[in-house]
Amino acid sequence: MSFFESLKAVAAQAVELVQNNPQVVSGIQKIIEDNGGVSGIVQKFKDKGFTEAASSWVGTGDNVNIGAADVMKVLGSDSVKELAGKVGLDSEATANLIGNLLPMVIDKLSPDGKEPSGDLTSQLSSLASLFTK
């Protein structure tokens, strides 16, 4: 299986999980809101040494995913455990899911490489519809 096929399979699994478990979307939304919106969470990842990855999410090129350990390092285990409890996964699986979904969400919220302005909640709600169709 090629790298692209593996990536496509992971993305398909993530989307299927989100469709079957809408708490994932609200959890990602809460994480973004609790960290100061798109610019706040991007800055938090940059501050913890993930500048290239975080910049790729806002930029117009390919998104760089981050691993579960990196998610835990940046967001903290309490934040990840809280979402894990809501979605019925262990912390590691939840952190891995966040590492795969957060880049896609930030990318969609920052079209043309610009961070969003305006009402983040409505933007996140409309984004949720992409996962729950």
Side-chain angles (χ1 to χ4, degrees), residues 2-36:
S2 74
F3 174 74
F4 179 73
E5 289 170 337
S6 297
L7 186 59
K8 189 174 170 183
V10 167
Q13 289 173 339
V15 169
E16 181 180 345
L17 178 62
V18 170
Q19 288 174 337
N20 294 328
N21 200 338
Q23 297 91 336
V24 172
V25 175
S26 62
I28 296 285
Q29 178 178 345
K30 184 177 183 328
I31 287 169
I32 293 171
E33 289 172 347
D34 288 352
N35 287 282

PDB file of all heavy atoms in Angstrom, residues 2-36:
ATOM      1  N   SER A   2       0.626   2.151  -0.904  1.00  0.00           N
ATOM      2  CA  SER A   2       1.426   3.376  -1.000  1.00  0.00           C
ATOM      3  C   SER A   2       1.105   4.310   0.156  1.00  0.00           C
ATOM      4  O   SER A   2       0.101   4.152   0.856  1.00  0.00           O
ATOM      5  CB  SER A   2       1.138   4.085  -2.330  1.00  0.00           C
ATOM      6  OG  SER A   2      -0.136   4.708  -2.287  1.00  0.00           O
ATOM      7  N   PHE A   3       1.964   5.305   0.350  1.00  0.00           N
ATOM      8  CA  PHE A   3       1.744   6.304   1.404  1.00  0.00           C
ATOM      9  C   PHE A   3       0.406   7.000   1.194  1.00  0.00           C
ATOM     10  O   PHE A   3      -0.365   7.182   2.129  1.00  0.00           O
ATOM     11  CB  PHE A   3       2.889   7.327   1.404  1.00  0.00           C
ATOM     12  CG  PHE A   3       2.644   8.459   2.354  1.00  0.00           C
ATOM     13  CD1 PHE A   3       2.774   8.273   3.719  1.00  0.00           C
ATOM     14  CD2 PHE A   3       2.268   9.712   1.883  1.00  0.00           C
ATOM     15  CE1 PHE A   3       2.529   9.300   4.605  1.00  0.00           C
ATOM     16  CE2 PHE A   3       2.017  10.743   2.760  1.00  0.00           C
ATOM     17  CZ  PHE A   3       2.160  10.548   4.126  1.00  0.00           C
ATOM     18  N   PHE A   4       0.105   7.378  -0.044  1.00  0.00           N
ATOM     19  CA  PHE A   4      -1.153   8.066  -0.341  1.00  0.00           C
ATOM     20  C   PHE A   4      -2.348   7.183  -0.012  1.00  0.00           C
ATOM     21  O   PHE A   4      -3.328   7.636   0.581  1.00  0.00           O
ATOM     22  CB  PHE A   4      -1.197   8.504  -1.809  1.00  0.00           C
ATOM     23  CG  PHE A   4      -2.480   9.190  -2.184  1.00  0.00           C
ATOM     24  CD1 PHE A   4      -2.751  10.475  -1.740  1.00  0.00           C
ATOM     25  CD2 PHE A   4      -3.421   8.538  -2.966  1.00  0.00           C
ATOM     26  CE1 PHE A   4      -3.938  11.100  -2.063  1.00  0.00           C
ATOM     27  CE2 PHE A   4      -4.621   9.154  -3.304  1.00  0.00           C
ATOM     28  CZ  PHE A   4      -4.876  10.448  -2.853  1.00  0.00           C
ATOM     29  N   GLU A   5      -2.276   5.902  -0.361  1.00  0.00           N
ATOM     30  CA  GLU A   5      -3.374   4.990  -0.054  1.00  0.00           C
ATOM     31  C   GLU A   5      -3.549   4.829   1.451  1.00  0.00           C
ATOM     32  O   GLU A   5      -4.677   4.768   1.948  1.00  0.00           O
ATOM     33  CB  GLU A   5      -3.135   3.634  -0.719  1.00  0.00           C
ATOM     34  CG  GLU A   5      -3.297   3.674  -2.236  1.00  0.00           C
ATOM     35  CD  GLU A   5      -2.819   2.391  -2.902  1.00  0.00           C
ATOM     36  OE1 GLU A   5      -1.999   1.666  -2.301  1.00  0.00           O
ATOM     37  OE2 GLU A   5      -3.261   2.118  -4.028  1.00  0.00           O
ATOM     38  N   SER A   6      -2.447   4.771   2.188  1.00  0.00           N
ATOM     39  CA  SER A   6      -2.515   4.672   3.649  1.00  0.00           C
ATOM     40  C   SER A   6      -3.164   5.911   4.242  1.00  0.00           C
ATOM     41  O   SER A   6      -4.014   5.818   5.130  1.00  0.00           O
ATOM     42  CB  SER A   6      -1.112   4.519   4.249  1.00  0.00           C
ATOM     43  OG  SER A   6      -0.531   3.334   3.815  1.00  0.00           O
ATOM     44  N   LEU A   7      -2.755   7.073   3.749  1.00  0.00           N
ATOM     45  CA  LEU A   7      -3.316   8.328   4.226  1.00  0.00           C
ATOM     46  C   LEU A   7      -4.810   8.411   3.927  1.00  0.00           C
ATOM     47  O   LEU A   7      -5.608   8.811   4.769  1.00  0.00           O
ATOM     48  CB  LEU A   7      -2.575   9.500   3.574  1.00  0.00           C
ATOM     49  CG  LEU A   7      -2.918  10.899   4.052  1.00  0.00           C
ATOM     50  CD1 LEU A   7      -2.645  11.042   5.541  1.00  0.00           C
ATOM     51  CD2 LEU A   7      -2.110  11.917   3.275  1.00  0.00           C
ATOM     52  N   LYS A   8      -5.184   7.975   2.747  1.00  0.00           N
ATOM     53  CA  LYS A   8      -6.592   7.974   2.350  1.00  0.00           C
ATOM     54  C   LYS A   8      -7.402   7.036   3.254  1.00  0.00           C
ATOM     55  O   LYS A   8      -8.515   7.366   3.665  1.00  0.00           O
ATOM     56  CB  LYS A   8      -6.686   7.539   0.885  1.00  0.00           C
ATOM     57  CG  LYS A   8      -8.044   7.690   0.259  1.00  0.00           C
ATOM     58  CD  LYS A   8      -7.948   7.357  -1.221  1.00  0.00           C
ATOM     59  CE  LYS A   8      -9.305   7.251  -1.849  1.00  0.00           C
ATOM     60  NZ  LYS A   8      -9.258   6.866  -3.249  1.00  0.00           N
ATOM     61  N   ALA A   9      -6.847   5.895   3.593  1.00  0.00           N
ATOM     62  CA  ALA A   9      -7.534   4.938   4.466  1.00  0.00           C
ATOM     63  C   ALA A   9      -7.720   5.517   5.870  1.00  0.00           C
ATOM     64  O   ALA A   9      -8.789   5.379   6.468  1.00  0.00           O
ATOM     65  CB  ALA A   9      -6.757   3.627   4.529  1.00  0.00           C
ATOM     66  N   VAL A  10      -6.685   6.190   6.393  1.00  0.00           N
ATOM     67  CA  VAL A  10      -6.783   6.813   7.715  1.00  0.00           C
ATOM     68  C   VAL A  10      -7.855   7.893   7.707  1.00  0.00           C
ATOM     69  O   VAL A  10      -8.669   7.989   8.626  1.00  0.00           O
ATOM     70  CB  VAL A  10      -5.411   7.388   8.151  1.00  0.00           C
ATOM     71  CG1 VAL A  10      -5.557   8.298   9.357  1.00  0.00           C
ATOM     72  CG2 VAL A  10      -4.439   6.261   8.449  1.00  0.00           C
ATOM     73  N   ALA A  11      -7.865   8.718   6.669  1.00  0.00           N
ATOM     74  CA  ALA A  11      -8.868   9.784   6.567  1.00  0.00           C
ATOM     75  C   ALA A  11     -10.275   9.197   6.484  1.00  0.00           C
ATOM     76  O   ALA A  11     -11.202   9.699   7.133  1.00  0.00           O
ATOM     77  CB  ALA A  11      -8.585  10.665   5.348  1.00  0.00           C
ATOM     78  N   ALA A  12     -10.444   8.134   5.735  1.00  0.00           N
ATOM     79  CA  ALA A  12     -11.761   7.502   5.614  1.00  0.00           C
ATOM     80  C   ALA A  12     -12.223   6.946   6.956  1.00  0.00           C
ATOM     81  O   ALA A  12     -13.390   7.080   7.330  1.00  0.00           O
ATOM     82  CB  ALA A  12     -11.727   6.395   4.563  1.00  0.00           C
ATOM     83  N   GLN A  13     -11.293   6.345   7.709  1.00  0.00           N
ATOM     84  CA  GLN A  13     -11.637   5.837   9.040  1.00  0.00           C
ATOM     85  C   GLN A  13     -12.026   6.972   9.974  1.00  0.00           C
ATOM     86  O   GLN A  13     -12.977   6.842  10.751  1.00  0.00           O
ATOM     87  CB  GLN A  13     -10.464   5.060   9.636  1.00  0.00           C
ATOM     88  CG  GLN A  13     -10.222   3.733   8.972  1.00  0.00           C
ATOM     89  CD  GLN A  13      -8.952   3.062   9.462  1.00  0.00           C
ATOM     90  OE1 GLN A  13      -8.053   3.718   9.989  1.00  0.00           O
ATOM     91  NE2 GLN A  13      -8.858   1.765   9.278  1.00  0.00           N
ATOM     92  N   ALA A  14     -11.302   8.085   9.909  1.00  0.00           N
ATOM     93  CA  ALA A  14     -11.609   9.238  10.763  1.00  0.00           C
ATOM     94  C   ALA A  14     -12.988   9.792  10.442  1.00  0.00           C
ATOM     95  O   ALA A  14     -13.779  10.089  11.342  1.00  0.00           O
ATOM     96  CB  ALA A  14     -10.534  10.315  10.602  1.00  0.00           C
ATOM     97  N   VAL A  15     -13.292   9.932   9.162  1.00  0.00           N
ATOM     98  CA  VAL A  15     -14.601  10.460   8.757  1.00  0.00           C
ATOM     99  C   VAL A  15     -15.706   9.503   9.206  1.00  0.00           C
ATOM    100  O   VAL A  15     -16.739   9.932   9.728  1.00  0.00           O
ATOM    101  CB  VAL A  15     -14.655  10.721   7.239  1.00  0.00           C
ATOM    102  CG1 VAL A  15     -16.074  11.001   6.783  1.00  0.00           C
ATOM    103  CG2 VAL A  15     -13.737  11.886   6.876  1.00  0.00           C
ATOM    104  N   GLU A  16     -15.496   8.198   9.056  1.00  0.00           N
ATOM    105  CA  GLU A  16     -16.500   7.225   9.487  1.00  0.00           C
ATOM    106  C   GLU A  16     -16.727   7.323  10.994  1.00  0.00           C
ATOM    107  O   GLU A  16     -17.864   7.312  11.471  1.00  0.00           O
ATOM    108  CB  GLU A  16     -16.067   5.809   9.117  1.00  0.00           C
ATOM    109  CG  GLU A  16     -17.074   4.755   9.528  1.00  0.00           C
ATOM    110  CD  GLU A  16     -16.642   3.343   9.156  1.00  0.00           C
ATOM    111  OE1 GLU A  16     -15.715   3.180   8.350  1.00  0.00           O
ATOM    112  OE2 GLU A  16     -17.254   2.406   9.698  1.00  0.00           O
ATOM    113  N   LEU A  17     -15.645   7.458  11.759  1.00  0.00           N
ATOM    114  CA  LEU A  17     -15.777   7.585  13.203  1.00  0.00           C
ATOM    115  C   LEU A  17     -16.559   8.839  13.574  1.00  0.00           C
ATOM    116  O   LEU A  17     -17.432   8.809  14.433  1.00  0.00           O
ATOM    117  CB  LEU A  17     -14.397   7.610  13.862  1.00  0.00           C
ATOM    118  CG  LEU A  17     -14.396   7.779  15.379  1.00  0.00           C
ATOM    119  CD1 LEU A  17     -15.108   6.607  16.057  1.00  0.00           C
ATOM    120  CD2 LEU A  17     -12.985   7.901  15.894  1.00  0.00           C
ATOM    121  N   VAL A  18     -16.267   9.947  12.899  1.00  0.00           N
ATOM    122  CA  VAL A  18     -16.967  11.200  13.173  1.00  0.00           C
ATOM    123  C   VAL A  18     -18.446  11.076  12.824  1.00  0.00           C
ATOM    124  O   VAL A  18     -19.310  11.545  13.566  1.00  0.00           O
ATOM    125  CB  VAL A  18     -16.307  12.372  12.411  1.00  0.00           C
ATOM    126  CG1 VAL A  18     -17.151  13.624  12.491  1.00  0.00           C
ATOM    127  CG2 VAL A  18     -14.912  12.636  12.959  1.00  0.00           C
ATOM    128  N   GLN A  19     -18.758  10.447  11.710  1.00  0.00           N
ATOM    129  CA  GLN A  19     -20.153  10.278  11.308  1.00  0.00           C
ATOM    130  C   GLN A  19     -20.923   9.448  12.324  1.00  0.00           C
ATOM    131  O   GLN A  19     -22.089   9.704  12.585  1.00  0.00           O
ATOM    132  CB  GLN A  19     -20.235   9.638   9.919  1.00  0.00           C
ATOM    133  CG  GLN A  19     -19.818  10.578   8.823  1.00  0.00           C
ATOM    134  CD  GLN A  19     -19.768   9.899   7.457  1.00  0.00           C
ATOM    135  OE1 GLN A  19     -19.632   8.684   7.356  1.00  0.00           O
ATOM    136  NE2 GLN A  19     -19.858  10.685   6.412  1.00  0.00           N
ATOM    137  N   ASN A  20     -20.275   8.457  12.904  1.00  0.00           N
ATOM    138  CA  ASN A  20     -20.930   7.588  13.875  1.00  0.00           C
ATOM    139  C   ASN A  20     -20.876   8.148  15.299  1.00  0.00           C
ATOM    140  O   ASN A  20     -21.515   7.602  16.195  1.00  0.00           O
ATOM    141  CB  ASN A  20     -20.297   6.196  13.858  1.00  0.00           C
ATOM    142  CG  ASN A  20     -20.547   5.485  12.551  1.00  0.00           C
ATOM    143  OD1 ASN A  20     -21.575   5.682  11.922  1.00  0.00           O
ATOM    144  ND2 ASN A  20     -19.598   4.664  12.130  1.00  0.00           N
ATOM    145  N   ASN A  21     -20.106   9.206  15.509  1.00  0.00           N
ATOM    146  CA  ASN A  21     -19.894   9.739  16.845  1.00  0.00           C
ATOM    147  C   ASN A  21     -19.785  11.264  16.764  1.00  0.00           C
ATOM    148  O   ASN A  21     -18.691  11.805  16.785  1.00  0.00           O
ATOM    149  CB  ASN A  21     -18.622   9.120  17.416  1.00  0.00           C
ATOM    150  CG  ASN A  21     -18.567   9.203  18.913  1.00  0.00           C
ATOM    151  OD1 ASN A  21     -19.227  10.028  19.521  1.00  0.00           O
ATOM    152  ND2 ASN A  21     -17.754   8.350  19.507  1.00  0.00           N
ATOM    153  N   PRO A  22     -20.910  11.971  16.680  1.00  0.00           N
ATOM    154  CA  PRO A  22     -20.877  13.428  16.488  1.00  0.00           C
ATOM    155  C   PRO A  22     -20.215  14.193  17.627  1.00  0.00           C
ATOM    156  O   PRO A  22     -19.868  15.359  17.458  1.00  0.00           O
ATOM    157  CB  PRO A  22     -22.351  13.814  16.344  1.00  0.00           C
ATOM    158  CG  PRO A  22     -23.134  12.642  16.788  1.00  0.00           C
ATOM    159  CD  PRO A  22     -22.258  11.434  16.696  1.00  0.00           C
ATOM    160  N   GLN A  23     -19.991  13.552  18.783  1.00  0.00           N
ATOM    161  CA  GLN A  23     -19.298  14.222  19.872  1.00  0.00           C
ATOM    162  C   GLN A  23     -17.864  14.587  19.493  1.00  0.00           C
ATOM    163  O   GLN A  23     -17.283  15.488  20.078  1.00  0.00           O
ATOM    164  CB  GLN A  23     -19.271  13.340  21.139  1.00  0.00           C
ATOM    165  CG  GLN A  23     -20.626  13.040  21.717  1.00  0.00           C
ATOM    166  CD  GLN A  23     -21.223  11.748  21.144  1.00  0.00           C
ATOM    167  OE1 GLN A  23     -20.875  11.300  20.046  1.00  0.00           O
ATOM    168  NE2 GLN A  23     -22.138  11.153  21.879  1.00  0.00           N
ATOM    169  N   VAL A  24     -17.312  13.897  18.513  1.00  0.00           N
ATOM    170  CA  VAL A  24     -15.959  14.209  18.062  1.00  0.00           C
ATOM    171  C   VAL A  24     -15.911  15.631  17.519  1.00  0.00           C
ATOM    172  O   VAL A  24     -15.013  16.411  17.846  1.00  0.00           O
ATOM    173  CB  VAL A  24     -15.464  13.192  17.002  1.00  0.00           C
ATOM    174  CG1 VAL A  24     -14.140  13.628  16.403  1.00  0.00           C
ATOM    175  CG2 VAL A  24     -15.346  11.810  17.607  1.00  0.00           C
ATOM    176  N   VAL A  25     -16.895  15.984  16.691  1.00  0.00           N
ATOM    177  CA  VAL A  25     -16.927  17.322  16.097  1.00  0.00           C
ATOM    178  C   VAL A  25     -17.079  18.383  17.175  1.00  0.00           C
ATOM    179  O   VAL A  25     -16.356  19.372  17.199  1.00  0.00           O
ATOM    180  CB  VAL A  25     -18.045  17.452  15.040  1.00  0.00           C
ATOM    181  CG1 VAL A  25     -18.152  18.878  14.529  1.00  0.00           C
ATOM    182  CG2 VAL A  25     -17.779  16.497  13.888  1.00  0.00           C
ATOM    183  N   SER A  26     -18.004  18.161  18.117  1.00  0.00           N
ATOM    184  CA  SER A  26     -18.183  19.150  19.179  1.00  0.00           C
ATOM    185  C   SER A  26     -16.947  19.214  20.069  1.00  0.00           C
ATOM    186  O   SER A  26     -16.596  20.275  20.582  1.00  0.00           O
ATOM    187  CB  SER A  26     -19.450  18.860  19.995  1.00  0.00           C
ATOM    188  OG  SER A  26     -19.367  17.610  20.633  1.00  0.00           O
ATOM    189  N   GLY A  27     -16.264  18.102  20.237  1.00  0.00           N
ATOM    190  CA  GLY A  27     -15.018  18.089  21.012  1.00  0.00           C
ATOM    191  C   GLY A  27     -13.910  18.875  20.343  1.00  0.00           C
ATOM    192  O   GLY A  27     -13.192  19.643  20.999  1.00  0.00           O
ATOM    193  N   ILE A  28     -13.762  18.712  19.030  1.00  0.00           N
ATOM    194  CA  ILE A  28     -12.762  19.481  18.279  1.00  0.00           C
ATOM    195  C   ILE A  28     -13.121  20.968  18.353  1.00  0.00           C
ATOM    196  O   ILE A  28     -12.258  21.830  18.541  1.00  0.00           O
ATOM    197  CB  ILE A  28     -12.674  19.013  16.810  1.00  0.00           C
ATOM    198  CG1 ILE A  28     -12.175  17.564  16.728  1.00  0.00           C
ATOM    199  CG2 ILE A  28     -11.809  19.950  15.980  1.00  0.00           C
ATOM    200  CD1 ILE A  28     -10.718  17.345  16.981  1.00  0.00           C
ATOM    201  N   GLN A  29     -14.405  21.265  18.228  1.00  0.00           N
ATOM    202  CA  GLN A  29     -14.863  22.656  18.322  1.00  0.00           C
ATOM    203  C   GLN A  29     -14.489  23.239  19.685  1.00  0.00           C
ATOM    204  O   GLN A  29     -13.967  24.345  19.767  1.00  0.00           O
ATOM    205  CB  GLN A  29     -16.377  22.725  18.124  1.00  0.00           C
ATOM    206  CG  GLN A  29     -16.936  24.124  18.261  1.00  0.00           C
ATOM    207  CD  GLN A  29     -18.440  24.173  18.000  1.00  0.00           C
ATOM    208  OE1 GLN A  29     -19.021  23.236  17.452  1.00  0.00           O
ATOM    209  NE2 GLN A  29     -19.051  25.263  18.361  1.00  0.00           N
ATOM    210  N   LYS A  30     -14.732  22.489  20.749  1.00  0.00           N
ATOM    211  CA  LYS A  30     -14.418  22.962  22.096  1.00  0.00           C
ATOM    212  C   LYS A  30     -12.922  23.184  22.255  1.00  0.00           C
ATOM    213  O   LYS A  30     -12.494  24.178  22.856  1.00  0.00           O
ATOM    214  CB  LYS A  30     -14.937  21.977  23.141  1.00  0.00           C
ATOM    215  CG  LYS A  30     -14.729  22.442  24.579  1.00  0.00           C
ATOM    216  CD  LYS A  30     -15.326  21.450  25.557  1.00  0.00           C
ATOM    217  CE  LYS A  30     -15.232  21.850  27.003  1.00  0.00           C
ATOM    218  NZ  LYS A  30     -14.124  22.610  27.444  1.00  0.00           N
ATOM    219  N   ILE A  31     -12.114  22.289  21.731  1.00  0.00           N
ATOM    220  CA  ILE A  31     -10.663  22.430  21.821  1.00  0.00           C
ATOM    221  C   ILE A  31     -10.220  23.719  21.132  1.00  0.00           C
ATOM    222  O   ILE A  31      -9.405  24.474  21.654  1.00  0.00           O
ATOM    223  CB  ILE A  31      -9.950  21.192  21.222  1.00  0.00           C
ATOM    224  CG1 ILE A  31     -10.117  20.000  22.174  1.00  0.00           C
ATOM    225  CG2 ILE A  31      -8.476  21.468  20.941  1.00  0.00           C
ATOM    226  CD1 ILE A  31      -9.690  18.670  21.599  1.00  0.00           C
ATOM    227  N   ILE A  32     -10.767  23.979  19.948  1.00  0.00           N
ATOM    228  CA  ILE A  32     -10.397  25.201  19.219  1.00  0.00           C
ATOM    229  C   ILE A  32     -10.850  26.437  19.994  1.00  0.00           C
ATOM    230  O   ILE A  32     -10.074  27.379  20.182  1.00  0.00           O
ATOM    231  CB  ILE A  32     -10.977  25.190  17.787  1.00  0.00           C
ATOM    232  CG1 ILE A  32     -10.302  24.088  16.958  1.00  0.00           C
ATOM    233  CG2 ILE A  32     -10.799  26.544  17.112  1.00  0.00           C
ATOM    234  CD1 ILE A  32     -10.939  23.828  15.608  1.00  0.00           C
ATOM    235  N   GLU A  33     -12.092  26.413  20.464  1.00  0.00           N
ATOM    236  CA  GLU A  33     -12.609  27.568  21.208  1.00  0.00           C
ATOM    237  C   GLU A  33     -11.838  27.795  22.505  1.00  0.00           C
ATOM    238  O   GLU A  33     -11.505  28.931  22.844  1.00  0.00           O
ATOM    239  CB  GLU A  33     -14.099  27.374  21.510  1.00  0.00           C
ATOM    240  CG  GLU A  33     -14.970  27.482  20.280  1.00  0.00           C
ATOM    241  CD  GLU A  33     -16.431  27.113  20.532  1.00  0.00           C
ATOM    242  OE1 GLU A  33     -16.743  26.530  21.597  1.00  0.00           O
ATOM    243  OE2 GLU A  33     -17.254  27.422  19.655  1.00  0.00           O
ATOM    244  N   ASP A  34     -11.533  26.716  23.247  1.00  0.00           N
ATOM    245  CA  ASP A  34     -10.822  26.833  24.528  1.00  0.00           C
ATOM    246  C   ASP A  34      -9.394  27.340  24.365  1.00  0.00           C
ATOM    247  O   ASP A  34      -8.780  27.784  25.336  1.00  0.00           O
ATOM    248  CB  ASP A  34     -10.793  25.489  25.263  1.00  0.00           C
ATOM    249  CG  ASP A  34     -12.149  25.086  25.826  1.00  0.00           C
ATOM    250  OD1 ASP A  34     -13.099  25.907  25.786  1.00  0.00           O
ATOM    251  OD2 ASP A  34     -12.259  23.938  26.301  1.00  0.00           O
ATOM    252  N   ASN A  35      -8.866  27.235  23.159  1.00  0.00           N
ATOM    253  CA  ASN A  35      -7.490  27.659  22.909  1.00  0.00           C
ATOM    254  C   ASN A  35      -7.407  28.955  22.108  1.00  0.00           C
ATOM    255  O   ASN A  35      -6.405  29.228  21.466  1.00  0.00           O
ATOM    256  CB  ASN A  35      -6.720  26.530  22.215  1.00  0.00           C
ATOM    257  CG  ASN A  35      -6.412  25.413  23.184  1.00  0.00           C
ATOM    258  OD1 ASN A  35      -5.503  25.509  23.989  1.00  0.00           O
ATOM    259  ND2 ASN A  35      -7.192  24.347  23.142  1.00  0.00           N
ATOM    260  N   GLY A  36      -8.467  29.741  22.109  1.00  0.00           N
ATOM    261  CA  GLY A  36      -8.423  31.056  21.467  1.00  0.00           C
ATOM    262  C   GLY A  36      -8.751  31.061  19.998  1.00  0.00           C
ATOM    263  O   GLY A  36      -8.281  31.934  19.271  1.00  0.00           O
TER     264      GLY A  36
END
